[in-house]
Every structure is written in structure tokens, then in C-alpha cells.
Amino acid sequence: MMASVSYETVGRVAVVTVDNPPVNALSRVIRSGLSDAFGRFQTDESADIAVIIGAGRMLIGGADISEFGKPPQSPSLPDVILQIEQSAKPVVAAIHGMALGGGLEVALGAHYRIAAPGTRLGLPEVKLGIMPGAGGTQRMPRLVGADTALKMITSGTPVTEAEALQSGLIDQICEGVDIREAAIDYAQSLLSDNAPARPISGLPRATDSEGVIQQWRAKLQKSLRGEVAPLVAVDAVEASVQKSFAEGLKEERRLFLHLMDTPQRAGLIHAFFSERAVAKLPEISDIAPRDIARVGVIGGGTMGAGIATSAVLNGLAVTLVERDSEATDKARATIAGNLDAAVKRGKLKAEQRDAILTDALKTVTDYGALSGADLIIEAVFESMDVKKEVFAKLDEILPRGAILATNTSYLDVNEIATTTARPEDVIGLHFFSPAQVMKLLEVVVADKTAPDVVATAFALAKTLGKTAVRAGVCDGFIGNRILSHYRTAADHMVLDGASPYQIDKALTDFGFAMGPYQVSDLAGLDIGYATRQRKAADAHPRDRYPTFADALYHKGWLGQKTGHGYYLYEKGDRKGRPDPEVEQIIAQARKEAGTSPRTFSDDEIVRRYMAAMVNEGARVVDEGIAQRPLDVDVVFLYGYGFPRWRGGPMKYADMRGLDSILADIRTFAETDDHFWSPAPLLEKLVAEGRNFDSLNQR
Ligand code: NAD
């Protein structure tokens, strides 16, 4: 369908309709169509007021992202909006569905705004590393005040029509369902009231009497971990309270163009497109998923209770099986607590919680209660023997066609599948903790998994509001396999003289949500210990062992849950403080290993950590465990607290230059060629002058 802007008159109302499916993006054709329509309106003696409206599902979803990074084509959006605003006859924006980014800026160019129920209005530009660049940072504060404007612009989170009405962002909510009719009625009533053109640029500047701008700046500096766009947007809003409208617009343009040029924008756009690309799998493109209504969860510990919460919150019925009634009670209490938290946050009504607990959730000790389930998710202890026993039992109880999934973190899904007579129905569904919160779902496809089981896993992720990434079978799949590798690099640095506290600090300064030792304390040191035990048999004589980690484990210092791990936690405190005793234990471990400690710069820490991550990432792609580098990126963005504005580890490597990463690995190999050997794919790409992104297109 061709993009177009149409013009017609209804009585004395000119109706200007933007039509560019699916989201009426502001492409060049739409911008010039709007400019033509408003040129015509000015000279059209049969029309006294104009309504601008979107065809289809919404007013306007935003700019045309495909034009980003290309030479600008006129007319520019700021000019088109100025032209609308400068109309001598009044203009009404009729908003339904969504008005986002440039779409909301167009509505701010109008003189009156009416919105339909169910509308979302927002300026989400910062999520792509930019900021509003068509007057949004200047008009919004004049209309709703600096504080509300800053909240919307720096968070990027849209508001509802009710919130918009309250803040003054819109003038009316239409009663009926038909926004077009309602907007024309509204325009006609404005005409009979002789309502004038009312440009926002003509309103007085917002004041900053309470110093809100500085408050927002200080707050964001603390929370952003290196992301720049929201802070630059604060500068633009500051200009709106200090400068004339025309000067403020100029400043906005300057700051906008500066952000367009930053690597952060490139990282965030990569994240945005990658998140969409992970769901596009050729192997399931035309395969119908199986129906999932009833879910069984085996095990109600940390993960089982979280998975059950996620399922019931999204409308699925869950039967959870535990070993005894004490454990079922505990699981039910955990889930009820999670639902209470959802009620507190306004995500769930109290009566919905009650209905879930009485009708949708069953907690039992009898596996027989699972017989009607469409999908089982096993989340028992991480032991092959226990898992095999469970799967053999499930195979007896469940009819063919029911999907049997394991939430294992590391174990071989092919081996688990062999205990059933239907390996085609077996798959790995690797959730992350806390499962009702974390967005990532690794879908682990085993050798015999049927394509419609894979399709069902992706459909389930959608139902649960999660992002699914396809992974192949290996120890730890995509995420935990790469984690094991860079975690080892961090342990080596500790053995060689870096403190865990310096390492964590260097990596949070880089932008990670947490450093590796903070992660250990959160997850529990018993998890790492169990993994080392499991892998002990495969150890190589040249592997360097983190004896300090075992020492902490044997002292019972298991992390936050015991109040002591790498950090010491006062009661109720989750941040923790460094512990000199831990440093002594580490010093002892170095002595026993015969290493003489040296100092590390923060830069070297980041380089070693990232080189290990990227190198193993390249192997994971090369072996087909991850389909493309972007799949690795999405796993790290959604499951491992990787800074989104860096795009993911593979995008980071591309932006830094693969030759630079490879050179680091070769340098590190000079003193340890057992751990540091360049991944063949990395060497190949460097030799061919290519980057990881060249593999994302296939
Ligand atoms: P957990 O110890 O908290 O819970 C395991 C639960 O399984 C216990 O409540 C136990 O009573 C129950 N259980 C054991 N055997 C059972 C059986 N035969 N029938 C019914 N119930 C049984 O462990 P967890 O942290 O929830 O981990 C569960 C699985 O999820 C493991 O495979 C783990 O590797 C994986 N996983 C854990 C995390 C995490 O961060 N904790 C993240 C992703 C995946």
C-alpha cells in the first residue's frame, strides 16, 4: 500500500488523514503530504479548522527509523510541525492508538488535542539513544511543565490518555469509540466558540523554580551507568526554560544531531532490531504452534515458583508438583507473595490474585494430576539423575503431543530426552531468575525436537511477555557457556592480583548491572561450587582453579542469602561492603598457587573480561549454538545485565574493531596460551576484514 496524506472537508472542517501502514511512520512522503495539506488548508476558504488524524490503528507511531543515518530529505519534520503550528486557523490533533515520538511532536504542533480511550502517548526516543528532535523538548515543558516533561522524555515511557488529560497534554478524551467523528464534533464546537489558533510556542516558558532540572540531572547521573541520551535530553529541556522558543529549537536540533552521531545510538538501534530479529526463525516460519492452556511445573523452588508465577500472571492454568506437602505449601506461599507484589505495583487486581490462587493454580504432590497438561516445565535440582527420573515418569503419564521441557542451566537436553519414548516432544526452556521478571527465555533445541515444539516455545515466550532466543545443546547453551568462560578470566585476574571489588567496580563502570562477584553473591556461591564439582572430571592439568571460591563455600559464606559471600551484608542491605577477611583468603590462595600478585588497571580488567566474552561468543556462533551474533547479543542484554546502549557483546566487539579484540587475545596468550586461544571464527573475520554484523544478515 502506498503512503499518502489525504485532504477532505466535512462541513467547515478540513480532515487531514495520514495513511502509511502499519504505524503511519513519518516518512518523507508523509512529511511532504502533511506540508501540502496544510498549505492547502491555509488558502481553502471552505475550511475554518483542521483535524489531523491517522488511518488504521493509530495517529502516528513515530519517525521512519529506516531513514536514520541517511542524508536528511526535506521537508524536515521540525519544519512541517512549525508550518502546522503557524496556521492562522486552528488545528486539532485527533489521537487514537498511539502517538509516539515524532507522532506526539506532530500532535504538539496542533493547537488542540483530543484522544480516544486506550491511547498511549510518549516520547520514547531515548530508548534508541536519541531524544525528541522536532520541538518535543521545547513544546512539552511549555504545555505540561518541566517536571512532567522530563519524566516523559528521560524515561521514554508512554502515558495513558487519562494521565495525559490530567497533565494538560491533551484537552479532551472522546466519549464514543469513533475518534474521527468525535474529533470533527470537537472541531465544530471549537468553531462555534470562536476558539483561536493556540500555538504552544506562544505559551510562556516553563519555570524551574524548584530546581527540578538539577534534581533530574542528579538522579539520572546516578542511575544511568554511562547511558548519555537522557542526560542530553535534560540539557534540551533546560534550554526550554532559559531560552526563547526559536533559540531553544536551535539548541534542541544541535543536541539531537550530536546524539544521532554517537555510538550509543548505533548500539541501541542494534538492540532494537536484534530483539525483533531473534524471533524470525526460518525453521518455524510457517509452522503452527501447539495449543497451550494447561501447564505443569515440576519443582517449586526458586525457579519453579517463578515460572509458575509468570504463567498464571499471563492467563495460563498451572499445576505445580513438589515432593511433599511442606514443599507445596512453601511454593504456594512464594507464588502468592509474587502475586501480592504484582498487586502492589498495580499490575494485578486483588480479586484477580484471589481467583488465580483458587482456580488457576494447583499445588500437588501427585504426578497423576499432570495428565491433562499441554506443557510440562521441569525445574527440579540440577542433577542428571534426578532429571532423568522425572522425565521417565512424565513419559508414562502424559499423552503423546504434550511438550516436556527442562529448565536445566547446563545439562545435556539430548541425554534427558533419551529417557522418554518421544524425544521429538522434548525441549529446553531456560528461564532466568527471577523468572517472573527476567525477559529472556533460551529455547534449547535438541537433536530430535520437532519444529512445532520450537514454534510453541516461541509462542509461549510471547504469551509470557518474554524474548525467546534459539540455542543449541552444549554445556550452558549460549549464555551460561559464555558466562563460564569470562568468569574464569575474572578468577584468573583475582589469582594474579586484582581484587574482586576492583573487578566489579571496573565492570559496573563499563555499564554492567553487576560485576561477576556481585552476581555470585546474588545467585549463591553454592551454584558455582556445584558447577566446578560437575566439571572436575573434565579438568585439564593446565586449568587454573579458583581455590578461594571453594574456601568461601566451605566457610558457609554463600552470598546474600547467608549475609556473607565476597561481600558482607548488614541486615536488610543488598549492596554489601568489601570484606578484608575475603581478601586474606584470596591472598592465601595466591600463595598456594605460587603466583606473585601484580596490579591491574581498570582498562585491562575490562579488556580481559570482554575479550573472553567475545572469544567464546565467536565459538558459540561458529558451532551453531547461537544462530547469529545478534542472538548472543540479545541473550546478554536480557539475561546478563549487559549495558543496552553498547548493543551487546558482539556489537561492542564490532564497534571496537575485531582486530583490536584479536590483538588483545594474542597478547594475553603470551603468558597463558592454554586459556587464551583465538576462536577460529574471530581470526577468519579479521583476516577477511569483516565484522560480526556481516553474519547477522544470513
Ligand atoms: P531449587 O533447589 O530452589 O528448587 C528445586 C525444587 O525442586 C525443590 O523445591 C525440590 O523440592 C524440588 N524437587 C526436587 N526433586 C523433585 C521431584 N522429583 N519432584 C518434584 N519436585 C522436586 O532449585 P532452582 O534454583 O529452582 O533450580 C531448578 C532448576 O532450574 C535447576 O535445573 C537449575 O539449574 C535451573 N535454573 C536455576 C536458575 C537459578 O538462578 N536458580 C536459573 C535458571 C535455571
Side-chain angles (χ1 to χ4, degrees):
M1 203 139 123
M2 289 281 285
S4 66
V5 175
S6 64
Y7 183 100
E8 62 183 313
T9 45
V10 178
R12 303 213 47 91
V13 182
V15 179
V16 176
T17 308
V18 176
D19 190 3
N20 186 15
V23 299
N24 296 334
L26 291 157
S27 62
R28 190 195 59 77
V29 172
I30 296 298
R31 294 194 303 273
S32 60
L34 279 169
S35 180
D36 292 348
F38 280 89
R40 178 170 163 190
F41 171 55
Q42 285 319 295
T43 53
D44 183 352
E45 290 179 359
S46 69
D48 299 321
I49 189 166
V51 166
I52 170 165
I53 190 165
R57 293 188 285 127
M58 64 184 76
L59 174 62
I60 294 168
D64 185 346
I65 299 180
S66 67
E67 288 182 6
F68 281 19
K70 295 184 188 154
Q73 287 185 303
S74 60
S76 77
L77 187 59
D79 287 349
V80 172
I81 293 174
L82 267 181
Q83 185 195 348
I84 296 172
E85 187 179 57
Q86 282 162 1
S87 162
K89 298 184 269 187
V91 180
V92 175
I95 311 172
H96 74 298
M98 284 190 265
L100 296 180
L104 183 53
E105 290 180 295
V106 167
L108 291 169
H111 306 138
Y112 299 89
R113 281 156 292 279
I114 178 170
T119 301
R120 291 289 173 276
L121 305 97
L123 294 169
E125 287 85 348
V126 292
K127 294 190 171 167
L128 296 180
I130 53 175
M131 61 172 223
T137 66
Q138 304 304 302
R139 291 192 179 90
M140 191 65 107
R142 280 178 166 77
L143 187 62
V144 301
D147 193 37
T148 304
L150 280 164
K151 186 169 173 204
M152 285 186 70
I153 293 169
T154 62
S155 72
T157 309
V159 297
T160 63
E161 74 283 357
E163 292 166 306
L165 184 67
Q166 207 186 10
S167 68
L169 175 54
I170 59 171
D171 303 287
Q172 267 205 19
I173 297 175
C174 75
E175 301 286 328
V177 274
D178 191 309
I179 179 72
R180 189 172 186 276
E181 235 170 73
I184 292 170
D185 284 352
Y186 179 46
Q188 266 153 355
S189 74
L190 287 169
L191 276 187
S192 30
D193 293 348
N194 278 323
R198 194 185 60 171
I200 294 175
S201 62
L203 296 177
R205 277 179 250 164
T207 54
D208 181 28
S209 44
E210 270 101 64
V212 285
I213 295 198
Q214 196 44 38
Q215 283 166 24
W216 274 94
R217 196 174 270 134
K219 188 173 126 186
L220 290 166
Q221 266 159 351
K222 259 199 212 139
S223 64
L224 283 177
R225 300 202 314 263
E227 185 183 346
V228 298
L231 275 170
V232 174
V234 174
D235 293 348
V237 172
E238 186 168 48
S240 85
V241 304
Q242 292 176 344
K243 295 177 192 281
S244 70
F245 185 77
E247 288 298 313
L249 267 194
K250 264 193 225 154
E251 182 64 0
E252 178 192 77
R253 195 76 201 150
R254 188 183 72 77
L255 295 169
F256 174 81
L257 291 175
H258 157 70
L259 284 177
M260 269 293 190
D261 256 353
T262 60
Q264 295 205 0
R265 178 191 63 91
L268 285 161
I269 299 242
H270 173 77
F272 178 86
F273 282 115
S274 298
E275 188 186 345
R276 278 150 186 77
V278 286
K280 293 193 188 105
L281 288 188
E283 72 191 270
I284 56 168
S285 63
D286 41 36
I287 294 200
R290 299 183 190 173
D291 285 335
I292 301 293
R294 304 195 59 81
V295 176
V297 175
I298 320 286
T302 307
M303 293 308 292
I307 293 166
T309 304
S310 173
V312 292
L313 275 175
N314 289 289
L316 299 170
V318 171
T319 302
L320 184 146
V321 183
E322 256 291 353
R323 292 184 295 178
D324 50 43
S325 58
E326 199 181 314
T328 54
D329 289 350
K330 195 168 159 231
R332 178 170 280 275
T334 311
I335 297 166
N338 292 340
L339 297 180
D340 285 344
V343 172
K344 250 192 215 132
R345 284 200 316 275
K347 302 265 175 222
L348 189 72
K349 296 203 176 86
E351 46 288 10
Q352 290 174 308
R353 171 199 54 201
D354 298 345
I356 288 174
L357 289 172
T358 46
D359 304 334
L361 176 70
K362 302 216 162 15
T363 43
V364 298
T365 53
D366 170 20
Y367 274 68
L370 295 172
S371 59
D374 309 304
L375 161 71
I376 306 289
I377 304 170
E378 165 277 310
V380 302
F381 303 131
E382 184 77 342
S383 143
M384 185 55 94
D385 290 343
V386 179
K387 297 213 190 269
K388 279 184 165 174
E389 208 185 296
V390 169
F391 272 75
K393 222 185 282 179
L394 293 173
D395 194 38
E396 276 172 25
I397 297 162
L398 275 301
R400 285 291 171 102
I403 296 173
L404 308 183
T406 172
N407 180 48
T408 178
S409 304
Y410 288 94
L411 301 175
D412 184 342
V413 183
N414 285 320
E415 192 178 336
I416 295 174
T418 58
T419 55
T420 73
R422 50 165 117 201
E424 66 281 3
D425 288 340
V426 176
I427 193 165
L429 290 180
H430 185 211
F431 290 82
F432 287 69
S433 177
Q436 72 278 18
V437 175
M438 295 291 285
K439 273 198 71 173
L440 180 63
L441 179 66
E442 266 184 303
V443 173
V444 185
V445 181
D447 292 349
K448 296 197 174 144
T449 308
D452 68 338
V453 173
V454 180
T456 309
F458 274 78
L460 173 77
K462 219 173 181 183
T463 305
L464 301 181
K466 299 201 185 295
T467 299
V469 177
R470 184 199 198 280
V473 176
C474 68
D475 197 284
F477 321 121
I478 298 176
N480 282 344
R481 167 163 162 189
I482 296 173
L483 162 85
S484 294
H485 196 69
Y486 65 76
R487 175 55 205 248
T488 301
D491 287 345
H492 289 179
M493 288 191 269
V494 171
L495 285 171
D496 288 335
S499 89
Y501 314 120
Q502 186 196 356
I503 292 176
D504 283 349
K505 169 88 172 52
L507 292 163
T508 48
D509 285 350
F510 175 84
F512 278 99
M514 283 192 274
Y517 299 97
Q518 293 164 322
V519 170
S520 277
D521 274 6
L522 180 67
L525 270 65
D526 45 328
I527 294 200
Y529 181 79
T531 306
R532 288 192 296 279
Q533 292 286 305
R534 185 171 53 77
K535 288 187 179 167
D538 306 327
H540 186 280
R542 287 188 64 196
D543 287 349
R544 302 174 67 196
Y545 194 85
T547 47
F548 57 88
D550 281 12
L552 298 185
Y553 170 81
H554 289 304
K555 274 177 136 351
W557 295 354
L558 302 186
Q560 289 192 15
K561 61 185 169 191
T562 60
H564 203 165
Y566 285 95
Y567 295 79
L568 255 176
Y569 301 87
E570 309 295 345
K571 234 186 159 32
D573 167 33
R574 294 182 57 204
K575 198 159 162 280
R577 60 180 164 82
D579 177 14
E581 241 186 294
V582 169
E583 297 196 276
Q584 271 170 24
I585 290 170
I586 291 170
Q588 182 62 26
R590 288 177 190 137
K591 215 183 263 166
E592 282 161 15
T595 52
S596 34
R598 68 177 179 91
T599 55
F600 282 78
S601 68
D602 289 359
D603 180 58
E604 182 179 355
I605 289 170
V606 169
R607 290 180 97 98
R608 283 181 178 265
Y609 200 73
M610 289 311 303
M613 194 179 298
V614 171
N615 205 28
E616 194 66 7
R619 291 197 188 99
V620 158
V621 171
D622 207 13
E623 291 169 23
I625 300 299
Q627 302 234 302
R628 297 149 297 187
L630 69 82
D631 295 85
V632 175
D633 286 335
V634 173
V635 164
F636 277 82
L637 294 176
Y638 288 108
Y640 295 82
F642 195 92
R644 188 175 169 89
W645 53 267
R646 292 192 188 270
M650 309 311 262
K651 180 68 182 176
Y652 161 83
D654 274 357
M655 290 203 279
R656 215 182 92 193
L658 297 193
D659 48 349
S660 155
I661 305 267
L662 181 60
D664 273 355
I665 294 170
R666 289 191 171 135
T667 307
F668 304 150
E670 286 167 14
T671 45
D672 180 2
D673 64 356
H674 171 61
F675 180 77
W676 291 106
S677 67
L681 177 64
L682 182 60
E683 288 184 310
K684 178 168 174 265
L685 290 174
V686 170
E688 292 172 359
R690 293 164 62 197
N691 61 12
F692 284 127
D693 199 40
S694 67
L695 303 174
N696 283 333
Q697 271 62 4
R698 68 185 178 199

